[in-house]
Structures are given as structure tokens and as C-alpha cells.
Amino acid sequence: MASDVEEWKDELYGTDIRAEIERFAEEGWESIPDDEQDAWFERFKWYGLYHQRAGQESYFMMRIGPPGGVLAPGQFRRIVEIADEFSRGPAENPVFGNGWIDVTTRQAIQLHWIRLEDVPEIFEQLEDVGLSTVQACGDSWRNIVGCPVAGKDKHEHVDADALATDLHDTFKKNEAHSNLPRKWKVSVTGCDEGCGQGDINDLAFEPAEKEIDGETVTGYNVRVGGGLSRNEPRLARDIDVFATPEQAVDVAGGISALFRDHGDREDRYNARIKFLVDEWGPEKLRETLQDDYVDFELETAGEDLREDYSYNAGDADGKHDHVGVHEQNDGNYYVGLNVLVGRIGVDEAYDLADAAEEHGSGEVRLTQRQNIIFTDVPEENLETLRSEPVLEHYSPDPHPFQRGSIACTGTEFCSLSIVETKNRQVRYARWLTQNVELPEGVEDFHIHLSGCTASCAQPQIADVSLRGMKTRKDGEPVEALDIGLGGGLGENPQFASWVTERVPADEVPGAIANLLENFAAERDDETQSFREFVLERDDEELADLVEPEETDYEDPYLHNTKRTWYPYAEDDDLDASPAPARADGTPIPSDD
Amino acid sequence: MTIAVRTLDDGAWISVNDSRQVSVSDVWTLSRGVFCDCEPAYVLLEGFFDVDVDGSVVAASTVGQCLECGTRDSIDRLPVGRMIDGKFSPYDPAGVQWLREPDAERDGESS
Ligand code: HEM
Ligand code: SF4
Ligand SMILES: [Zn+2]
């Protein structure tokens, strides 16, 4: 039997949802009939609106997806203005205040505490500068990710920005591809550093060369079926197809249509294409694509550049991210700024928008490491840009523990989460920076924290992977983390292996400190990277090196942040929740 | 009376009569033997993958992990609450729960 979600999508999905959102916005939150809420919330996701968790009813998360993370001049500022006006909650976050933007691991922006009544106005303001929330959530083409400096990068072999934009223009609001069995995540890489993270996407285009009719053509190899969620991580698999830049959109459309027709619509937990690739194998997928979904002869895979991939590759040298000052292909510079856990308060965001306009072209790009990049900065402006006060906090030269930190949304807003994430990761990064010496030669150290197995913070591709759990400590249930080690991308990507489970959250900084101390003492020499060190050892040996321990680190979120309406509210009890609320913020009394 | 039950948001919720009622990621206390050998077993539920109704009892199928011994397994039809006078009343995760015996299915009425 088809799931309820499939029935709702059959009834109404895609662009038809817009008029309904406008209608509900006009009539107010209370006009959504109680017995239709489940169906409408599911549909709203297609327009980038995700209903927040229990205790926060009537408030939405809104996601805005610029392809490849490229925000043209003016677009970043517009998002900040929208956050300033519409993204204010009924309580304050102690670290971030009230009003901010979140840069996500898929090069999107998330806003929280959005009122349905404000959505039409927000849509207008976004569209006015060419932005949109279309298909940012829901069962369709999500934001297309890729090299964040595509088109400007000295390492580029093929123009990933052009393809990401083509795919975006072709497959957003495209009726034939609007209703897929599940989310559809696409990545385009054009450089020899591998920074598109193709291996963890449903569909990946990766730079390659191929001899066709005696001529060397630059284009893309195609991989399918990567993803991290649900304890079932998969690397995208090589389907032995090379696509010229001209063919790439047709190949993408063919694979998306194949997924639409053959993906599992009975069982949402088996729906992602990674499971279809498991079942069919890459050969059958290629055959079906050739026979039924493209009308030209597919080329076999070309020569790829994976050998050179340095991004998050775990080598002791090489470029691992886009933070810092780097020369572009036109002689200007791009400047990557560190955004701890991806969150920027509204006031500082205005300062950043000013700085990007004053010293660069005003373009701001988003990276898959939750950071931002200013592009087109002339050499003579570098000095003055670096002296801007806002760059003290959003630094092009951050401490490795700040630079390597990624955290998902967590219990603050997400109903799947088991633990508090962003504020905790900020505290971890501070404590580690102040108390732990990195071993000689270690300049990159990635720590990713996800609140549950959905893995939005991509924990499995970090040096230290943290995943939300619970444990019992002194007889009380407390928030805890599983600790995994040795994940990363590069030529031979590797998922972290979960070596130590259920460590109370207040003992995690001590565990990382001890782990690094043991690594420094036991590594072969100072050129051995952490990832190499982990690869050489089995899980038991590694578990012995972790040694969780209480330190002077204090964790204010140990006790069940999930059972609150907002973990940081003065009275955080679910019964004290001001939600659901009307457009002006006054609570709506419940009828029981 | 028909009771509409479903899982929502990728297993984050059990919805009963179109209202989000039981949330995932809570710790449930289960009696010995039904999940692992711990007494009692404190089991963190990591995701609901199915739900149905047995008479007046709403039972969820889920994946969980024991916080003491680390056993990770699926649980078939864990009772998460019941209908009383047409209203859903959730069970307290901290109160000791036992799984339904298989023969309880005889009066089962799946939605
Ligand atoms: C309120 C609930 C949720 C919030 C706030 C949330 C937040 C996020 C964020 C910020 C990202 C990166 C951004 C992007 O897509 O642009 C992300 C990605 C992701 N989300 Fe979620 N998410 C939620 C629910 C879910 C659910 C229900 C699942 C799956 C069952 C899920 C699985 C993932 C995965 C696997 C990734 C990234 C890793 C990958 O690319 O495979 N998330 N989510
Ligand atoms: S990883 Fe889990 S907790 Fe974190 S945002 Fe994603 S779904 Fe929520
Ligand atoms: Zn046990």
C-alpha cells in the first residue's frame, strides 16, 4: 500500500502548493484544519518550509537554496534583511541572541521562527533579488551543491558553476521531476581538489577527460547512490558513464526519471536511490538508463582526477577547505571566512554584507563546511578587508578547532534530535582551543556533531565524528555522544568507524584531549596524519585511546533538552510554551 | 471508530488522528528479556518505522538501543499509548513497559 505521504503528493504537490500557502497565510495559522496539518506540513516542505518541533507549533524553518552556494551581489544582504525582520523567536539563544542566519552543509541558508502569515511577503522579497525556496526540502531536487569557488578557481578543469546553474534552471519547478520517491541530492565538482563532496550525494558529476573521435574532451564522470543517513552510509558508486558538458543535463534528467519510476514508493525508509543501487548494482542502473532514459549512446567513464583530490582528504598537507586568502584565476582573490557552526547573528551579518561590497564584488558564497567566502577581492584591498572588526570573529585564519567544527540544528528546532548541538559545539571548540595543544604538523582537524543518525552535519566524514545519544550517569539519563574516528573524503573516501559509544556529553572534550595526546605519543612521526594513524589501527585499539573524562569543561545541556519547548528559555517546560501563536505572537489557547 | 495512525517526518513522530503524539529519541523503560537482559532496560528509540492499532492500543515498530549493554535492535509493536473515550493518552516512557504478547493480535484491528 502506498504510504500516506505518497497519497498526499498524488493529490496535490509541486507548484500547486504555492496558492495554498498564500491562502493559509491570508487566513492565518488557525485556518489549517487540524486533521489536515500532517498533509499540509508534508507539502509545505516542497516550498522550503519545515514545521518546527513540539512546543514550537505554528513556527517554521525556511530554507533558501542558491545553486553551488553562490549568492550574487545583493542576495546575501537581502537574506539578512529578511532574517532581521521575520526570523525572531519568542525567546533568546544565549550564544546567538535572537535573529540569525544558518549556513548549512548543503550550501543553503536556514531561517527559523518563521510565521506562515509572513511567508508571501518573504517570498516576494526573495524573488525580487532572484532567490527562492523551491524544492529546498521535500521529495525532489534539493539545492545543487558544488565547488564553492566554481568559475573563479585556479584548480578548475570544467565549469561546475555553469552546470550547477543549468541543472537548477532545468529541474526546479519541472513538473516531470517534481515528485520523486524521496529527496534527491546532486553535486557538481569541476576542480582537481574534489570539494563538491560528490561521494555523499545521490548523483555526482566529477571532472574527467575522455578521448572522443580522436579529441580529448573535458567533462564529467557520473556516480550514483551516495548518502549518510540512518546508519546506512553509502559512497556514490561509479556507473561507468562520461558526460560531456552538453550531455550532462540530459544524463541527470535520465537518472532522475529512472529514480522517479523505479525508486521504492511503498517504503520511505528504502526509498533513497542508494538502496536501488544496492539492489540493482551499477551495471543494471547503467543499462536501464541507456535503454529507457537517454536517446544517445552513453560514453564509458573517462580519466578522472580523484588521485589529486585534497579537500578533506586527511593528508598532512593539501588544501582541505576554502578558509583563508586564495588567488583566483583572474588575479583577484577570494577570502574564506570561518563561521563557527554556521550561525551568523543579524548585526554581524550586516557588517559582513558591507565588507563584501566594500572590498570585493559583493558576491558571497556558501561552503559545505558551513563557512562563507567573499570573492573578487583585488589584491590592494586585502589588507583593509582583513582589518575589518567583524573579521576578528569571522576569521580567515581561525584556530583549527574553530575551523574544523560543524554542527547540525539539533534539539533547538529539530524533532529527530536526541541532543543539543550548536551551542554545545561552540563550547567544545572554545574549550579545546584554550586547553588542548594540537600535535606537531596538524593544521586541520575536523569535528562534526550531528544530533541523530540522519547525519545532517556529515559526521561520518570527519576526523572525530560525534552523534547524539543518551546514557545514564549517576543513575540519571543524560545527553551523550557516540564517538567515531578517521572519516574523510579524497581519492579514497572513508566513513568514520564508531569506536566509543554513549559518552556523557560533559566527558567528550576530555576524551578528545586524551585522544590527541595519545595520537601525539604513538604516531610514527610528525608527517603521519590523524586519518592515516586511525586507518592503521583496529576499533579496539582506537577505543583504548579515547578515554572519556570529566574536565573543567561544563555542559549546561546535559538533561534532556528534547523535553523542553526551547532548551534555553528561562522556563523551558513544555507546558510553558507560547506556541502555537498568532501572527502577532499571542498564544492560541488549546481547546482541551 | 476508526483511528488514523501514521509515522511522520521520517520516523520522528507517531501521529494519532492527525496530531503528532509520540516523539522519537526518548528513553523508554522496558522490562527484562523483551529487548535485552538488562533489568530494567533503558532503551533509546531512534526512529519509528511503522505503527498500527490493536483494539484501543497504539503500537509502534521502532529501532532502539539499550543504554547499558548497547544492544541495538528493532522492536515490534511497542505499546506507546491507548485511546480512552476517543482521545489518545500516551504512556509514560519512564514507566516500565512490556511488549505485547503475540496472541494479543487476535483482536487486532489494523488501520
Ligand atoms: C526539522 C528537521 C530537520 C532539520 C532542521 C534538518 C537540518 C538539516 C540541515 C541544516 C542540513 C544541511 C542543509 C541542506 O540540506 O541544505 C541537512 C542535511 C541533511 N539532512 Fe536534515 N534536517 C532535518 C530533518 C532531516 C530528516 C528527517 C532527515 C532524514 C531522515 C535528514 C537527513 C539529512 C541528511 C542525511 C543531510 C545531509 C547529509 C547528506 O547530504 O547526505 N534531515 N538537514
Ligand atoms: S542530524 Fe538529526 S538532529 Fe541534526 S538536524 Fe539532522 S535530523 Fe535533526
Ligand atoms: Zn541492555
Side-chain angles (χ1 to χ4, degrees):
Chain A
M1 196 191 75
S3 64
D4 287 330
V5 175
E6 284 300 326
E7 281 176 28
W8 298 329
K9 292 197 298 180
D10 269 348
E11 273 170 40
L12 189 147
Y13 208 53
T15 49
D16 291 345
I17 299 164
R18 175 70 177 259
E20 309 292 329
I21 291 176
E22 308 259 353
R23 176 168 64 86
F24 288 126
E26 175 78 24
E27 292 170 16
W29 157 262
E30 289 158 279
S31 67
I32 308 175
D34 283 349
D35 62 354
E36 294 178 16
Q37 284 189 2
D38 289 353
W40 286 116
F41 294 166
E42 196 59 46
R43 294 182 182 123
F44 289 175
K45 293 178 189 173
W46 199 89
Y47 266 97
L49 290 171
Y50 205 120
H51 188 240
Q52 290 183 183
R53 69 173 176 85
Q56 304 169 359
E57 292 80 4
S58 78
Y59 291 97
F60 289 82
M61 174 272 270
M62 173 183 277
R63 195 180 284 162
I64 303 155
V70 181
L71 293 170
Q75 292 183 333
F76 181 77
R77 181 180 299 280
R78 178 56 55 91
I79 293 172
V80 178
E81 288 164 355
I82 291 170
D84 188 4
E85 190 175 348
F86 300 106
S87 180
R88 305 279 186 176
E92 198 159 289
N93 179 307
V95 174
F96 300 101
N98 198 342
W100 62 74
I101 65 174
D102 280 345
V103 179
T104 79
T105 51
R106 296 198 77 257
Q107 295 173 294
I109 298 271
Q110 273 183 200
L111 305 177
H112 292 278
W113 297 122
I114 298 295
R115 320 252 2 152
L116 189 57
E117 292 83 355
D118 294 329
V119 168
E121 168 74 22
I122 297 174
F123 281 173
E124 237 169 75
Q125 292 194 19
L126 287 171
E127 283 156 11
D128 177 45
V129 294
L131 287 168
S132 151
T133 63
V134 164
Q135 292 163 241
C137 310
D139 293 344
S140 187
W141 280 68
R142 299 293 190 85
N143 193 35
I144 292 150
V145 299
C147 303
V149 288
K152 315 226 162 176
D153 188 12
K154 287 177 115 174
H155 294 267
E156 190 160 77
H157 288 252
V158 51
D159 190 350
D161 187 32
L163 179 55
T165 305
D166 267 2
L167 292 171
H168 177 91
D169 293 346
T170 309
F171 296 108
K172 294 280 178 168
K173 295 194 187 174
N174 178 328
E175 189 136 38
H177 301 267
S178 276
N179 176 357
L180 301 180
R182 202 72 168 71
K183 58 173 82 165
W184 182 243
K185 294 179 169 174
V186 178
S187 158
V188 183
T189 304
C191 70
D192 61 20
E193 298 183 315
C195 59
Q197 301 198 157
D199 285 318
I200 57 166
N201 280 264
D202 294 297
L203 170 61
F205 287 95
E206 296 201 81
E209 278 178 5
K210 169 99 184 170
E211 186 134 339
I212 301 175
D213 303 329
E215 259 183 78
T216 304
V217 181
T218 313
Y220 300 94
N221 279 350
V222 181
R223 291 184 181 231
V224 181
L228 299 176
S229 62
R230 300 216 156 254
N231 284 325
E232 298 269 6
R234 295 285 186 286
L235 294 167
R237 279 145 283 181
D238 184 353
I239 61 161
D240 193 22
V241 169
F242 173 84
T244 64
E246 295 73 37
Q247 294 171 335
V249 170
D250 288 337
V251 170
I255 301 174
S256 164
L258 181 156
F259 175 53
R260 176 193 65 210
D261 301 343
H262 295 278
D264 187 349
R265 287 186 193 258
E266 307 282 308
D267 178 2
R268 292 184 64 76
Y269 305 112
N270 193 43
R272 289 288 287 277
I273 200 169
K274 65 186 177 186
F275 298 116
L276 188 65
V277 183
D278 284 359
E279 193 189 319
W280 282 12
E283 297 80 16
K284 179 172 172 187
L285 193 131
R286 188 187 198 284
E287 255 173 56
T288 312
L289 174 66
Q290 177 71 75
D291 293 347
D292 302 340
Y293 293 98
V294 290
D295 51 16
F296 51 88
E297 189 72 25
L298 292 167
E299 300 284 347
T300 56
E303 187 87 32
D304 65 36
L305 308 172
R306 291 178 66 94
E307 204 177 270
D308 297 328
Y309 282 8
S310 63
Y311 174 88
N312 194 10
D315 301 326
D317 52 2
K319 188 159 139 248
H320 293 264
D321 59 26
H322 300 84
V323 175
V325 179
H326 304 276
E327 197 179 352
Q328 294 178 184
N329 54 13
D330 63 357
N332 284 330
Y333 287 77
Y334 71 82
V335 180
L337 303 180
N338 186 56
V339 183
L340 189 53
V341 303
R343 186 166 287 178
I344 309 173
V346 159
D347 294 340
E348 292 171 315
Y350 278 120
D351 294 343
L352 289 166
D354 291 344
E357 282 161 20
E358 198 172 321
H359 306 290
S361 61
E363 184 182 82
V364 176
R365 297 190 175 196
L366 315 172
T367 82
Q368 298 188 65
R369 298 197 54 78
Q370 298 182 329
N371 294 324
I372 62 171
I373 298 170
F374 293 171
T375 55
D376 312 319
V377 182
E379 189 171 4
E380 64 268 24
N381 290 3
L382 285 172
E383 195 77 8
T384 46
L385 170 59
R386 295 203 59 160
S387 62
E388 290 282 356
V390 70
L391 264 67
E392 271 165 43
H393 188 166
Y394 300 90
S395 170
D397 185 24
H399 189 284
F401 284 126
Q402 312 269 335
R403 178 176 191 149
S405 291
I406 289 183
C408 77
T409 302
T411 47
E412 184 173 19
F413 300 112
C414 175
S415 42
L416 279 141
S417 194
I418 302 165
V419 299
E420 205 284 338
T421 51
K422 282 195 196 282
N423 289 22
R424 176 172 279 143
Q425 180 83 330
V426 168
R427 299 175 71 92
Y428 282 0
R430 282 193 193 137
W431 189 87
L432 291 168
T433 302
Q434 282 161 13
N435 293 282
V436 177
E437 189 98 26
L438 272 160
E440 200 60 40
V442 177
E443 273 150 31
D444 291 276
F445 196 74
H446 295 165
I447 303 177
H448 298 187
L449 168 56
S450 253
C452 79
T453 60
S455 303
C456 302
Q458 307 172 345
Q460 298 95 329
I461 55 165
D463 294 303
V464 172
S465 322
L466 303 174
R467 177 175 71 187
M469 246 294 144
K470 285 265 171 70
T471 192
R472 291 172 63 80
K473 179 166 174 162
D474 310 325
E476 293 271 318
V478 294
E479 298 196 357
L481 297 169
D482 290 341
I483 299 181
L485 301 179
L489 297 173
E491 181 185 8
N492 300 304
Q494 175 85 31
F495 293 137
S497 105
W498 299 101
V499 301
T500 306
E501 302 199 307
R502 301 185 302 284
V503 177
D506 60 338
E507 299 178 24
V508 169
I512 296 173
N514 290 334
L515 171 67
L516 282 170
E517 205 168 293
N518 291 329
F519 163 59
E522 289 193 23
R523 72 206 287 217
D524 298 342
D525 59 55
E526 286 174 4
T527 64
Q528 187 179 36
S529 75
F530 183 74
R531 184 153 151 207
E532 289 159 353
F533 175 86
V534 170
L535 259 181
E536 273 182 6
R537 288 167 172 73
D538 66 29
D539 285 3
E540 264 169 62
E541 284 173 84
L542 291 168
D544 286 342
L545 303 179
V546 176
E547 302 183 280
E549 180 180 31
E550 279 182 20
T551 57
D552 63 355
Y553 167 83
E554 280 177 34
D555 198 303
Y557 310 115
L558 269 187
H559 294 281
N560 213 347
T561 53
K562 192 181 166 61
R563 288 258 152 189
T564 65
W565 74 268
Y566 192 57
Y568 330 102
E570 197 140 344
D571 184 358
D572 64 6
D573 202 86
L574 267 171
D575 293 332
S577 165
R582 298 197 178 85
D584 62 5
T586 53
I588 300 166
S590 78
D591 35 357
D592 48 44
Chain B
M1 193 194 65
T2 54
I3 304 163
V5 292
R6 61 175 71 102
T7 63
L8 279 180
D9 291 352
D10 301 299
W13 294 101
I14 299 293
S15 159
V16 182
N17 288 338
D18 301 289
S19 154
R20 282 152 212 250
Q21 289 287 358
V22 184
S23 168
V24 80
S25 308
D26 262 329
V27 178
W28 289 68
T29 311
L30 306 180
S31 57
R32 188 206 318 255
V34 298
F35 187 79
C36 57
D37 288 334
C38 299
E39 176 59 37
Y42 300 102
V43 179
L44 180 92
L45 302 190
E46 295 182 79
F48 298 117
F49 57 84
D50 206 359
V51 55
D52 61 67
V53 184
D54 259 354
S56 64
V57 175
V58 174
S61 296
T62 172
V63 174
Q65 188 176 30
C66 171
L67 301 186
E68 301 296 338
C69 71
T71 299
R72 175 178 263 131
D73 205 351
S74 56
I75 306 173
D76 262 356
R77 306 161 80 82
L78 171 72
V80 291
R82 58 189 298 219
M83 304 303 292
I84 301 171
D85 299 333
K87 265 196 68 155
F88 180 76
S89 163
Y91 293 146
D92 176 8
V96 175
Q97 298 274 323
W98 59 96
L99 299 188
R100 308 220 85 194
E101 301 300 324
D103 66 357
E105 273 175 48
R106 76 189 117 78
D107 59 354
E109 170 213 319
S110 175
S111 65

